[in-house]
Amino acid sequence: MQPDLRKQLKVYNTLSRKKELFQAINPPFVGMYVCGPTVYGDAHLGHARPAITFDVIFRYFKHQDYKVRYVRNITDVGHLVGDADEGEDKIAKKAKLEQIEPMEVVQHYTDRYHRDMAALNVLPPSIEPRATGHIIEQIEMIEKIIESGYAYESNGSVYFDVVKYNEDKEYGALSGRNIDEMLEGTRNLDGVSDKKNQVDFALWKKAEPEHIMRWNSPWSDGFPGWHLECSAMSRKYLGDHFDIHGGGMDLKFPHHEAEIAQSHACNHVEPAKYWLHNNLITINGQKMGKSLGNFITLEELFEGKHELLEEAYSPMTIRFFILQAQYRSTLDFSNDALKAARKGYRKVMNGLRLAKSLEYKADDSIEVNEKQAKNIESIVNSIYRGMNDDFNTAVAMAGIFNLLKKINAVHSGNIPAAQLGEQAFNDMISNYITFIEDVLGLKEETPDHFFQALDYIIQDYSAAKEVRDYNKVDAIRAKLKDMGVVVKDTKTGVEWAYDEA
């Protein structure tokens, strides 16, 4: 790797609408906050994209020797049906339907979310705070915002005064919304609401008598607004001003826009230096989401139990599917796309097995081919350039497949290892393994007992070949094919690989 590549990382900042050179506020430390799930249902394919996207970003920063504090929250109160300031809390609504406590809903779906994230090989964040665990911090923040003059109390609820804020600081800078157009597009309240303006949003809501989740506050028994929790928790664990705030593109407005306004009003500083947003996963061009009813849960994907699925797809197939596109590009679900991802994943895993088995063998009769050695260096640099170009995993993956071609050539003997030279050979192997496992987070899904069974089957295959029992040979080949494995007869013996078909 070129020594200056670490200094060339550029990220697309949604706030400035351009790629910027990443410069940590307090190197080598990096603070990153990402909006996590509202836990009232199972995680779906749409949830997998931000989880995997920011997992790779987390991994890449660590690979570059940054010390990362990654905070991803759990929303367990305040997220109302329709994402606005009216209606039932999504978790409380689920609790009523199930006739259980809201925290039972939270615990159940948090556990299932963690299970699915582990299956996808998503690393746990450094801190995973819950909104209900930070009510005090949220109340304190509201008090500071009121003191600054940007919030008002009305009938026990507290609202952020967007119009007043916009007089001093632009509201809509992140999303590109114009406040005059927002005001024109809303109906006249005519005294039917506690808000001064329809664009104002809740910092604290007075709980109606039937509302289950409520806390004491200076204004009423109630609950915090959805937007406030992230501002309070990012401030607590990362400070008033931190490096990265991330999340899905659908959170830009109103959630992240509100976060910026709240944090400015409280802390008088931009909360995050860089705002990163992953694009959405779509089905037939339409956003996948619970509210639209067109989602496929991760469990359904893993088990193949959904009417849109032709078969089951493994967690690593899903991860590969998401990584093959740059995180800001759209990604449309289809069975064909997932099958192609599975093929690519198996190719990469076959390469990983070979990379871990190859050893450098010096040969004084073979001269080092400098062109070949330089080519390895060039390919490795292309992987870094891809990752440094706003974490472009699609470009990085192309470089990884180019390394895979070299690994296959060395394994087959078409390129003797000695022709590369020891340094280039080691760079090829170490970078392939490191990027696959540590940065992209891909791994073999095969359990140990599979390998044990496979060893016996391969022994049977070799014995049948030895006595020319070709009927048995064909039967074993067919059995292995059903197991997703192909066998190859080579000069050095029998080898197997994952079936890439």
Side-chain angles (χ1 to χ4, degrees):
M1 180 185 69
Q2 295 173 358
D4 62 343
L5 278 178
R6 171 173 168 169
K7 301 174 184 177
Q8 296 174 9
L9 173 60
K10 289 186 177 181
V11 300
Y12 183 86
N13 190 348
T14 308
L15 193 60
S16 66
R17 292 167 181 74
K18 63 182 180 182
K19 289 181 184 177
E20 299 177 9
L21 185 68
F22 178 80
Q23 294 178 308
I25 296 168
N26 185 27
F29 301 98
V30 170
M32 180 169 74
Y33 186 94
V34 176
C35 293
T38 301
V39 283
Y40 69 102
D42 281 333
H44 57 68
L45 185 56
H47 292 122
R49 192 167 199 191
I52 291 170
T53 293
F54 290 99
D55 180 59
V56 170
I57 291 172
F58 181 33
R59 288 168 177 270
Y60 190 61
F61 274 125
K62 293 204 299 182
H63 173 68
Q64 296 285 47
D65 295 325
Y66 286 103
K67 298 183 184 301
V68 190
R69 178 176 290 173
Y70 174 21
V71 183
R72 186 188 68 209
N73 72 296
I74 293 289
T75 294
D76 58 355
V77 69
H79 196 169
L80 305 185
V81 175
D83 299 345
D85 287 334
E86 305 299 330
E88 284 188 275
D89 184 292
K90 293 183 176 184
I91 290 164
K93 181 180 179 180
K94 185 77 171 181
K96 285 179 183 177
L97 288 172
E98 300 289 335
Q99 295 185 313
I100 58 177
E101 283 290 323
M103 287 303 110
E104 287 184 80
V105 173
V106 168
Q107 192 63 50
H108 176 74
Y109 287 110
T110 299
D111 289 345
R112 290 172 71 83
Y113 179 77
H114 288 157
R115 175 205 63 186
D116 290 341
M117 292 304 105
L120 292 168
N121 204 27
V122 169
L123 297 174
S126 313
I127 303 172
E128 191 177 53
R130 294 187 181 190
T132 55
H134 297 78
I135 300 296
I136 292 172
E137 289 84 354
Q138 293 177 76
I139 290 173
E140 288 175 350
M141 198 166 185
I142 294 170
E143 289 174 332
K144 286 180 178 293
I145 296 171
I146 292 173
E147 287 172 14
S148 72
Y150 294 115
Y152 57 91
E153 187 268 339
S154 178
N155 295 325
S157 294
V158 181
Y159 295 96
F160 190 90
D161 193 333
V162 171
V163 174
K164 174 72 182 301
Y165 173 82
N166 192 66
E167 293 173 1
D168 303 318
K169 189 80 177 174
E170 181 187 1
Y171 183 80
L174 181 73
S175 61
R177 305 280 183 113
N178 180 283
I179 192 167
D180 292 329
E181 292 175 0
M182 283 189 272
L183 287 168
E184 288 174 9
T186 57
R187 60 180 173 81
N188 192 319
L189 298 176
D190 293 329
V192 298
S193 172
D194 294 333
K195 297 181 183 181
K196 291 181 181 178
N197 299 284
Q198 189 62 29
V199 292
D200 297 348
F201 57 87
L203 299 174
W204 186 266
K205 285 286 289 181
K206 180 181 179 180
E208 298 298 327
E210 68 274 10
H211 201 94
I212 304 172
M213 304 175 79
R214 58 175 67 218
W215 290 263
N216 292 325
S217 80
W219 313 284
S220 65
D221 275 4
F223 54 93
W226 173 38
H227 311 307
L228 185 67
E229 64 175 272
C230 290
S231 292
M233 290 188 288
S234 63
R235 178 176 182 246
K236 180 177 178 69
Y237 297 109
L238 298 175
D240 293 349
H241 183 55
F242 52 94
D243 295 288
I244 292 173
H245 195 310
M249 193 172 287
D250 55 330
L251 294 177
K252 281 197 296 184
F253 187 89
H255 188 54
H256 289 166
E257 200 73 75
E259 278 192 64
I260 290 174
Q262 291 165 164
S263 295
H264 265 297
C266 179
N267 309 320
H268 313 294
V269 68
E270 192 75 38
K273 186 175 181 181
Y274 307 98
W275 287 82
L276 276 59
H277 292 92
N278 63 275
N279 214 321
L280 308 175
I281 291 182
T282 57
I283 296 181
N284 299 321
Q286 185 182 37
K287 173 197 167 184
M288 177 182 291
K290 290 177 184 174
S291 58
L292 298 172
N294 66 347
F295 63 94
I296 305 172
T297 69
L298 292 173
E299 183 178 56
E300 287 170 337
L301 278 161
F302 302 158
E303 297 180 358
K305 295 179 180 178
H306 191 282
E307 60 183 11
L308 292 175
L309 298 173
E310 294 177 5
E311 56 188 281
Y313 300 98
S314 75
M316 288 300 100
T317 296
I318 303 303
R319 189 174 179 106
F320 191 95
F321 167 67
I322 289 170
L323 293 177
Q324 66 188 354
Q326 206 274 349
Y327 75 91
R328 287 189 297 111
S329 65
T330 55
L331 189 57
D332 198 55
F333 161 85
S334 73
N335 282 281
D336 287 344
L338 287 172
K339 288 173 185 175
R342 180 174 58 204
K343 183 175 180 179
Y345 162 69
R346 287 178 175 177
K347 281 186 176 180
V348 165
M349 286 302 103
N350 283 332
L352 186 64
R353 291 183 60 251
L354 289 181
K356 290 181 175 181
S357 68
L358 288 175
E359 294 180 0
Y360 181 76
K361 294 178 182 177
D363 190 335
D364 293 337
S365 67
I366 299 175
E367 288 188 13
V368 174
N369 185 322
E370 292 297 335
K371 186 177 180 180
Q372 289 277 16
K374 285 286 185 185
N375 186 235
I376 296 294
E377 181 183 10
S378 176
I379 293 171
V380 170
N381 286 338
S382 76
I383 298 170
Y384 276 97
R385 278 193 294 273
M387 291 301 296
N388 286 343
D389 184 15
D390 194 29
F391 310 103
N392 195 329
T393 53
V395 171
M397 197 73 79
I400 285 166
F401 274 107
N402 284 332
L403 271 190
L404 178 55
K405 290 177 185 176
K406 297 294 182 184
I407 290 169
N408 285 332
V410 170
H411 173 68
S412 65
N414 291 335
I415 299 177
Q419 196 177 90
L420 296 176
E422 190 168 7
Q423 181 64 51
F425 175 87
N426 289 337
D427 285 348
M428 173 183 73
I429 298 298
S430 65
N431 278 286
Y432 187 87
I433 294 172
T434 295
F435 269 94
I436 291 300
E437 293 187 328
D438 297 343
V439 178
L440 298 182
L442 294 165
K443 65 177 184 178
E444 281 196 272
E445 297 177 300
T446 312
D448 289 340
H449 64 78
F450 176 91
F451 292 118
Q452 293 165 2
L454 191 57
D455 285 342
Y456 287 116
I457 296 170
I458 295 294
Q459 288 173 25
D460 271 357
Y461 176 86
S462 299
K465 286 271 296 182
E466 188 76 26
V467 298
R468 300 185 180 182
D469 185 351
Y470 296 118
N471 287 334
K472 188 173 183 179
V473 166
D474 291 342
I476 293 174
R477 279 186 176 275
K479 181 178 181 179
L480 290 171
K481 183 84 171 174
D482 290 340
M483 295 170 64
V485 167
V486 293
V487 288
K488 301 175 182 178
D489 299 307
T490 69
K491 295 176 183 177
T492 56
V494 178
E495 295 181 355
W496 69 269
Y498 296 110
D499 186 5
E500 298 171 8

